[in-house]
Amino acid sequence: MREETAPMDIKDSIVLVTGGNRGIGQAFVRAFLAAGATKVYVGARDPASAAHLVAEAPDRVTALRLDVSDPETISAAAAQCPDVTILVNNAGAFTMQTLMGAPDMSAARQEMEVNYFGPLAMSRAFAPILARAPKSAIVNVLSAGGLVAVPSMGGYSPSKFAARAMTTCLRAELAPQNTHVLALNVGSVDTRMASHVEGFKEAPATIAQAGLKALKREADEVDTDFMAIDVRAHLARDPKGLELAMRRALTSDRVSTGR
């Protein structure tokens, strides 16, 4: 095991953000730039969709083609980004299909592929790169749906449960190389993925700032916003009651959508 080092300084870090072209990923890109990161790689299935971020800081932002469900693009990204010190696994998929209501299992498989196997594949590909830095980190952007099972979310919720467990396992495996692994549990955020959700939604920038603060203090797991904190509290206070509330929400959703 390496000797203990000082806490990682985000200033002068080199960051890769998956799904960094919009939403929470875009907010992370801007937050890292504001915090003094030397370089930020923006991973997106279509690099052209990140052109606006490159234009904001052309000497510090690089867009690259990256699909976390495609091993070839992951390998290419690792070859193109040999200097990364912080990996933010943000890319996600939500198909808005329930487990039993979907016509087949393709939606659930896609959610597991992107939300669980994607971050795992990225972590495996970049762990040797992160090991070169005296201090490095992986940030996994998860969900309150990984704290409590949400039937209306179908395969998304189980995939986030799996990703949360994987984060804990990676934290143990990568500790000897001084790579810290952080879990961020996110509630309702004002992004395209949550466009169907009614009520208050946090700004993506709020999530990014919570992530950077957690990273600086090397927290293991952080609930980033009011909804995630509230879910955690309800889970501790009355887990069965919360389960039943999620069941009622599924029934309500079916009535409102006619499913």
Side-chain angles (χ1 to χ4, degrees), residues 10-256:
I10 291 173
K11 186 178 183 296
D12 300 326
S13 59
I14 299 175
V15 187
L16 169 58
V17 182
T18 69
N21 54 313
R22 62 173 182 265
I24 294 173
Q26 174 179 265
F28 264 109
V29 171
R30 289 173 171 155
F32 276 112
L33 290 172
T38 299
K39 185 190 305 182
V40 181
Y41 296 105
V42 182
R45 285 178 295 178
D46 176 12
S49 65
H52 62 293
L53 293 169
V54 175
E56 290 177 17
D59 57 334
R60 298 166 66 197
V61 177
T62 300
L64 65 148
R65 180 173 176 266
L66 179 58
D67 179 345
V68 300
S69 64
D70 181 353
E72 289 188 6
T73 68
I74 292 175
S75 296
Q80 186 177 342
C81 312
D83 49 358
V84 169
T85 60
I86 300 175
L87 168 64
V88 181
N89 285 315
N90 166 75
F94 176 36
T95 65
M96 298 184 67
Q97 298 276 356
T98 60
L99 293 175
M100 299 301 294
D104 54 39
M105 290 177 57
S106 60
R109 291 186 187 280
Q110 179 189 356
E111 287 164 327
M112 190 64 74
E113 190 67 42
V114 174
N115 300 336
Y116 171 73
F117 287 111
L120 176 56
M122 287 293 297
S123 298
R124 286 173 56 87
F126 278 86
I129 293 171
L130 296 171
R132 299 169 188 164
K135 198 80 172 180
S136 58
I138 296 173
V139 180
N140 287 336
V141 180
L142 306 179
S143 170
L147 299 174
V148 60
V150 184
S152 62
M153 285 185 164
Y156 180 85
S157 184
S159 72
K160 291 298 187 176
F161 266 86
R164 185 170 173 236
M166 177 261 290
T167 301
T168 303
C169 294
L170 289 180
R171 188 179 303 123
E173 286 199 67
L174 297 179
Q177 69 173 45
N178 285 328
T179 297
H180 183 64
V181 184
L182 165 64
L184 295 181
N185 299 314
V186 177
S188 183
V189 185
D190 191 11
T191 63
R192 190 175 72 171
M193 185 181 288
S195 60
H196 65 290
V197 177
E198 297 180 357
F200 175 75
K201 290 181 276 192
E202 294 282 357
T206 300
I207 308 304
Q209 288 301 325
L212 264 64
K213 289 178 182 178
L215 193 55
K216 287 177 181 178
R217 70 175 195 268
E218 297 185 43
D220 288 344
E221 183 172 41
V222 168
D223 303 328
T224 62
D225 57 280
F226 174 80
M227 177 179 280
I229 293 168
D230 192 53
V231 167
R232 175 87 68 175
H234 277 79
L235 190 61
R237 192 165 54 240
D238 183 9
K240 188 61 180 181
L242 184 57
E243 177 189 336
L244 294 175
M246 294 298 102
R247 184 187 301 183
R248 289 192 294 271
L250 173 64
T251 303
S252 174
D253 182 56
R254 282 174 173 166
V255 170
S256 65

Side-chain angles (χ1 to χ4, degrees), residues 2-13:
R2 292 182 181 180
E3 295 180 0
E4 286 298 316
T5 59
M8 183 175 55
D9 191 349
I10 291 173
K11 186 178 183 296
D12 300 326
S13 59

